Amino acid sequence: MTVKIAPSILSADIMNLERDVKLAEQDGADLFHIDIMDGHFVPNMSFSPSIVEGMRRVTDKPLDVHMMIDNPDAYIKPIAEAGADTILVHAESTKHIYRSIDLIKSLGIKAGVVVNPGTPLETVKELFPVIDQILVMTVNPGFGGQSFIPGMTKKIQRLDQLRQTAADDNFEIEVDGGINNETIAKCAHAGADIFVAGSYLYGHDNIKERIDGLKSLAVDAKK
């Protein structure tokens, strides 16, 4: 699997979002990560399907939409129609996660499941054959700028081992939370493929330098 860097627009300047998106795109971003939060499932609020629609107009890069909301099924179709390429639903947000994944797939886009730091991988193991991505939260969801939880490295490694044991489990492993020049190599070595980075990228004057640096560290760690 190739290494992909996904800037999180949660850390971008919302008043200059188009500028920040285009800047990251020209500086090597592979896709963009969009957090949609409702203030209930997580203690924060951000964005709506309209931000996905707006971003679709300014970039051709894949849009990776992370739904941190209760009752996700009600928003899957609007987000897909807004231009999302992948929709990721938390296993903890619904009693019927398989139905949510099936709904996403029926709309012709990629489907992913998200697991919080305290959620066992066994909770989503039955979904492995039907999903495109698994997002492992390496911080508690809701706010940007948090520190990476060290124990998540072993969780990523276990997930990669499970992926390798079945021929039909071809999903990508994504990580989100505290990704920087100190943590990305550990995650890549453990088996992660997609790396969401927010404040580490948008908190620096030279985004290209940071994206290039993260990719280099991840690629070296996978050798």
Coordinates of all heavy atoms in Angstrom, one line a residue, residues 50 52-59:
S50 N -22.5 21.0 3.6 CA -22.2 22.2 2.7 C -20.7 22.4 2.5 O -20.2 22.9 1.5 CB -22.9 23.5 3.2 OG -22.3 23.8 4.5
V52 N -18.4 20.1 2.4 CA -18.0 19.1 1.5 C -18.3 19.6 0.1 O -17.5 19.5 -0.8 CB -18.7 17.7 1.7 CG1 -18.2 16.7 0.7 CG2 -18.4 17.2 3.2
E53 N -19.5 20.1 -0.1 CA -19.9 20.7 -1.4 C -18.9 21.8 -1.9 O -18.5 21.9 -3.0 CB -21.3 21.2 -1.4 CG -21.9 21.6 -2.7 CD -23.3 22.1 -2.6 OE1 -23.8 22.1 -1.5 OE2 -23.9 22.4 -3.7
G54 N -18.6 22.7 -0.9 CA -17.7 23.8 -1.2 C -16.3 23.3 -1.6 O -15.7 23.8 -2.5
M55 N -15.8 22.3 -0.9 CA -14.5 21.8 -1.1 C -14.4 21.1 -2.5 O -13.4 21.1 -3.2 CB -14.0 20.9 0.0 CG -13.6 21.7 1.2 SD -12.8 20.7 2.4 CE -11.3 20.2 1.6
R56 N -15.5 20.4 -2.8 CA -15.6 19.7 -4.1 C -15.4 20.7 -5.3 O -14.9 20.3 -6.3 CB -16.9 19.0 -4.2 CG -17.1 18.1 -5.4 CD -16.3 16.8 -5.4 NE -14.9 17.0 -5.4 CZ -14.0 16.1 -5.0 NH1 -14.4 14.9 -4.4 NH2 -12.7 16.3 -5.0
R57 N -15.8 21.9 -5.1 CA -15.7 22.9 -6.1 C -14.3 23.4 -6.3 O -13.9 24.0 -7.4 CB -16.6 24.1 -5.9 CG -18.1 23.8 -6.0 CD -18.9 25.0 -6.1 NE -18.8 25.9 -5.0 CZ -19.7 25.9 -3.9 NH1 -20.7 25.0 -3.9 NH2 -19.5 26.7 -2.9
V58 N -13.4 23.3 -5.2 CA -12.1 23.9 -5.3 C -11.0 22.9 -5.4 O -9.8 23.3 -5.6 CB -11.9 24.9 -4.1 CG1 -12.9 25.9 -4.1 CG2 -11.8 24.1 -2.8
T59 N -11.3 21.6 -5.3 CA -10.2 20.6 -5.4 C -10.7 19.3 -6.0 O -11.9 18.9 -5.8 CB -9.6 20.3 -4.0 OG1 -8.5 19.3 -4.2 CG2 -10.6 19.7 -3.0

